[in-house]
Amino acid sequence: MNVLDITAKNQELLENYRNLYKSHLQISKTIETLEEELSKGKEELDYLQFQFNQLEESKLVESEDTDIETELTILEHANDIKHALLEAENTLSTDTGVLAMLKSIENTLSSVSKYSTYCEEIVSRVSSCTIELKDIASELYNESEKVDSDPERLEYLTERRDLIYSLCQKHRVKTVAELIEIRDELEQKISLIDNSDEEIEKLKQERDNIYKNLLAEADKISKRRKNQALEIEKSLVEQLAALGMPNTQVKFEITPHSAPISTGIDKVELLFSSNKNKSPQPIDKTASGGEISRVMLCLKYLLANSTSLPTLIFDEIDTGISGEAADLTAKMLKKMSANVQIISISHLPQIAAKASTHYFVEKSGESETTVTKLNAEERVTAIARMLSGSTLSDAAIKNAQALLSEES
């Protein structure tokens, strides 16, 4: 599938498709979550509504709990407070009270104030005290008139306090402010449940529109893959014939998935047969290792012309080939190396001779391997050994020189 998409230049289409696919998954998950929450919410709705109604009917006012406590304290001790206020007022205002005494002091000192500046000053200060105490006496009286035991008010506030305490215990909070917060949260939950059906329906319509666009993009990609498959099949047959496989049949079998997946709606399988009288079968079940190597070489050749890969490594891609096929393989690798760095592990002199740089890999012990970069003279010797084995012959050396000369 990657080969088809890269060579067909499907990257932009695939990116659009994957964005739609991701959006479709996300909105489907959101709908599923909302439906689960709605199902649970509807089961709890009666209880939530009961809790909300109880708090709403209580007509809670923020900070009223502290106000109630303050007023209750006064009402519960109203008689004591009234008695104290009146007694204090009487102490100030009666004929024998503080004000009468101050008046007597003021009169006594006034009679001699014309003879003494000190006495005159004291009279003024006593007069100021008298004015202040008269105000205090008046306030004490007025305040005592306000204080009333009011049994009905006391009963109402006591019941109100008990209601608030009961609600706090039920909801495991301590203040009216927290109860109000719970009431608002319950109202929001009930509203969400009441409106969830409508919200889910909107999301389903949005999901259906995304799915429609998703299928349209998937269809575009699929058509391009099928058209590209025909071109690649033809190219592979030609290249494999040149690599010594003249009777090869190659076919991309593209079938639809039951539902879109992250790569589209296609299932792609590569069918292969090296015998013209045998119908192609899945390549992993019918091709030998050498055949798969050559098919991979051809596919990588196509990819190298369509994308910027940094490096391709071929590990004995030439297994099972020789002669003209080996020479064609070497030329194919050389051509690929114009765009991509090629590292090829090979025992074929034709392949080695095409390389721009030649390394000789040798095991020097059970756990050691040496890699040596060969100079021009060493390359001749190495390629000659590939041609003739351990015993070097003049013919092998001349042949190696000819191969290298052909490359240059």
Side-chain angles (χ1 to χ4, degrees), residues 356-376:
S356 58
T357 306
H358 190 158
Y359 292 89
F360 184 70
V361 183
E362 182 180 29
K363 281 192 175 183
S364 56
E366 290 186 4
S367 60
E368 289 186 12
T369 300
T370 59
V371 180
T372 306
K373 183 178 179 180
L374 303 182
N375 59 32

Side-chain angles (χ1 to χ4, degrees), residues 49-63:
Q49 190 69 56
F50 168 76
Q51 288 183 308
F52 171 75
N53 290 343
Q54 192 178 45
L55 291 170
E56 179 71 7
E57 290 165 4
S58 300
K59 299 188 182 303
L60 298 166
V61 178
E62 195 164 346
S63 80

Side-chain angles (χ1 to χ4, degrees), residues 2-15:
N2 283 337
V3 171
L4 293 177
D5 285 331
I6 291 171
T7 54
K9 295 180 169 49
N10 281 343
Q11 285 75 10
E12 186 175 344
L13 282 174
L14 279 169
E15 185 176 355

Side-chain angles (χ1 to χ4, degrees), residues 91-105:
T91 302
L92 289 171
S93 304
T94 59
D95 294 340
T96 58
V98 173
L99 286 171
M101 293 178 183
L102 286 174
K103 187 64 177 173
S104 176
I105 294 169

Side-chain angles (χ1 to χ4, degrees), residues 7 37 44 48 60 77-78 85 93 97 127 165 204 222 224 246 253-254 265 323 408:
T7 54
E37 290 177 354
E44 299 176 352
L48 293 174
L60 298 166
H77 301 87
L85 290 171
S93 304
S127 177
Y165 178 76
K204 284 182 175 179
S222 183
R224 289 173 67 107
E253 185 174 69
I254 303 175
I265 55 171
S408 63

Side-chain angles (χ1 to χ4, degrees), residues 69-87:
E69 288 296 338
T70 300
E71 190 174 352
L72 272 175
T73 300
I74 293 172
L75 286 172
E76 287 169 351
H77 301 87
N79 291 331
D80 294 336
I81 294 170
K82 190 177 186 72
H83 176 74
L85 290 171
L86 288 173
E87 186 175 338

